[in-house]
Amino acid sequence: PIYTVWSISANSNRVVAGGAFTRAGTAVNTRDQSIWELIQIDRTNANPTLTGAGGTIAYIESASANTPITVDSTIIIKDLNHFAFSNATVSITANFQVGDILSATNINGTTNSYNAATGVLTIAGNNVGIADLQTILRSVSFVTSDDPNSLTRTVTFTVTDKDGAASASISRNITVTPVNDPPTISTITNITAVVGVSVRTANLFGIGTGGEASQAIGITATSSDTTIVPNPTVNYTSPNATGSLSFSAPANVGVSTITVTVTDDGGTAN
């Protein structure tokens, strides 16, 4: 039952037939208040509706810290029959990559559960109000890993009312622009060598691609004054995290700065 009409009499001979009030099979004037009784009127449960901005937004990977972006802050929920809902789903329905993450705000006891293996965010609660659910959907954000692909993601929203009727889905696209992160290397300890004495070695640590695991790494090392210390020999094999520099015995007294450059095959140096 969707709504009720209340009676002011107790006559049990009156029924509703074909849309008109009757008394013992005889049609009567529905404005005759003395014959009204409790009448339940059923109506088919209408599906809720969703509207949103649609179109496409842009996500750009950050070389320092990836920042989530809001997917659609304009979503509107409407329902002719209900003021409360049982759940909603937000899914990456095109080009999902492991590392893609959807998240949303919790309101008034709702539970948000994200499946990182499938890209589906489920929002559940006990009779979640329209206003609360709308606020939650507007807060949904997207972020991805440090090494994303550049395929355009599609994020799809659906809501279900407490009687199980689901809305038609709405979607928004997200373009993803990867950024080549600089490779890494730890600080090298200063060394002291004696003129004309044996070769010295400096160890290299913390060598990495900076996030793009599939990239190859190259290392070069140059001396600021080769009359004191010749350019060292680099001992390194990609993708190892360690390596070393071998120095010839210094020819003269003085200070020479050795510059070590780590470059990935995306063209970024550190």
Side-chain angles (χ1 to χ4, degrees), residues 15-45:
V15 296
V16 175
F21 288 103
T22 66
R23 177 183 293 139
T26 303
V28 297
N29 187 343
T30 57
R31 295 182 181 179
D32 180 0
Q33 299 295 314
S34 67
I35 68 165
W36 283 27
E37 295 175 348
L38 174 62
I39 301 167
Q40 291 184 333
I41 302 176
D42 292 327
R43 185 170 61 188
T44 302
N45 183 23

Side-chain angles (χ1 to χ4, degrees), residues 178-205:
V179 173
N180 187 24
D181 300 327
T184 61
I185 187 170
S186 299
T187 302
I188 303 169
T189 302
N190 292 335
I191 61 174
T192 301
V194 179
V195 174
V197 180
S198 61
V199 173
R200 297 296 304 271
T201 299
N203 292 320
L204 306 177
F205 301 95

Side-chain angles (χ1 to χ4, degrees), residues 85-192:
F85 288 76
S86 62
N87 66 77
T89 58
V90 186
S91 309
I92 301 175
T93 53
N95 299 319
F96 167 73
Q97 175 188 6
V98 173
D100 293 348
I101 299 174
L102 296 174
S103 59
T105 301
N106 288 316
I107 296 179
N108 292 336
T110 58
T111 300
N112 301 339
S113 176
Y114 181 67
N115 188 326
T118 62
V120 177
L121 172 66
T122 301
I123 301 161
N126 184 17
N127 292 330
V128 185
I130 285 181
D132 286 343
L133 185 57
Q134 185 170 275
T135 298
I136 294 170
L137 293 185
R138 289 180 175 184
S139 75
V140 171
S141 63
F142 169 85
V143 69
T144 190
S145 66
D146 285 334
D147 189 17
N149 63 44
S150 59
L151 298 176
T152 297
R153 315 303 200 262
T154 298
V155 178
T156 300
F157 298 78
T158 307
V159 298
T160 302
D161 68 28
K162 65 179 183 179
D163 286 335
S167 69
S169 298
I170 62 171
S171 298
R172 198 166 206 197
N173 294 326
I174 303 176
T175 59
V176 176
T177 302
V179 173
N180 187 24
D181 300 327
T184 61
I185 187 170
S186 299
T187 302
I188 303 169
T189 302
N190 292 335
I191 61 174
T192 301

Side-chain angles (χ1 to χ4, degrees), residues 204-249:
L204 306 177
F205 301 95
I207 303 166
T209 61
E212 292 78 14
S214 62
Q215 292 186 342
I217 296 173
I219 298 178
T220 61
T222 57
S223 171
S224 64
D225 190 340
T226 56
T227 65
I228 298 174
V229 178
N231 291 330
T233 300
V234 177
N235 307 299
Y236 176 73
T237 301
S238 180
N240 293 340
T242 60
S244 65
L245 302 178
S246 297
F247 297 89
S248 299

